[in-house]
Amino acid sequence: MPTEGAARASRRSVLLTFGLLGLGLAGIVGTTVALLPGGPSAPAMSVIGGPFRLQSTKGGVLDSATLAGKPYLVGFGFTHCPNVCPTVLADLTNLIEALHKEGRDIGVYYVTVDPERDTVAVMREYMASFSDRITGLTGTPEEIGQVERAFRAEVRRVPLKAGDYTFEHTAMLYLMDAAGRFVGPLDLAAGQDLALKQIRAVL
């Protein structure tokens, strides 16, 4: 049961996350370009993203090599997150279900930042509250750390009372093109219409 302290920590994490994100994106602007309708084409290279192999809530191991030729979305979170993560996943569920009604789909992968608690079974139960088109991914702490570094995700473990802990982490969704290159952050806050345009542009 999330504590008030955890909720406050989560809210702080959002503010910190966006601050860190802004700094990070500013640093890579030379190699990546946010995708907007009618905007510039995808960059020739990106410093964000890379290969990964993680345990999937759909069963077995997901190897990013199998995603070649298919655009996809990647996000980070954890099942003990009291509000930010479930809110993002609920918004994402609405978005991809709307896309599906158009006859289009995009792979969506949600990577835990808490592999110690988020086993495949725990994540599978948690993800059942959202669209079955979202795949939860977990792995060893080393495997998760490698993915976090590849996507330049900021993740910080924050101690709480009684030995509990929470995380501050990058909350954005990474839109990747068919070549596995970072196109830009999916902007859910700007509304579903813009987010759908961003996705349609890479499909």
Side-chain angles (χ1 to χ4, degrees), residues 104-120:
R104 301 182 180 190
D105 285 301
I106 186 169
V108 185
Y109 303 98
Y110 206 68
V111 181
T112 183
V113 299
D114 186 11
E116 294 180 25
R117 294 185 294 200
D118 289 347
T119 63
V120 171

Side-chain angles (χ1 to χ4, degrees), residues 105-189:
D105 285 301
I106 186 169
V108 185
Y109 303 98
Y110 206 68
V111 181
T112 183
V113 299
D114 186 11
E116 294 180 25
R117 294 185 294 200
D118 289 347
T119 63
V120 171
V122 169
M123 287 203 75
R124 184 177 294 128
E125 181 177 357
Y126 180 74
M127 301 304 292
S129 298
F130 309 101
S131 172
D132 60 6
R133 294 184 173 83
I134 305 174
T135 301
L137 298 175
T138 188
T140 66
E142 292 75 20
E143 290 169 335
I144 294 298
Q146 181 179 351
V147 180
E148 291 168 353
R149 290 190 292 276
F151 283 81
R152 305 296 193 267
E154 296 287 345
V155 179
R156 185 175 305 161
R157 180 166 167 156
V158 179
L160 300 175
K161 293 180 179 179
D164 199 2
Y165 62 91
T166 188
F167 285 93
E168 297 173 342
H169 65 90
T170 299
M172 80 171 193
L173 294 164
Y174 300 73
L175 180 58
M176 312 300 289
D177 69 10
R181 298 172 303 196
F182 176 61
V183 177
L186 189 73
D187 193 353
L188 289 177

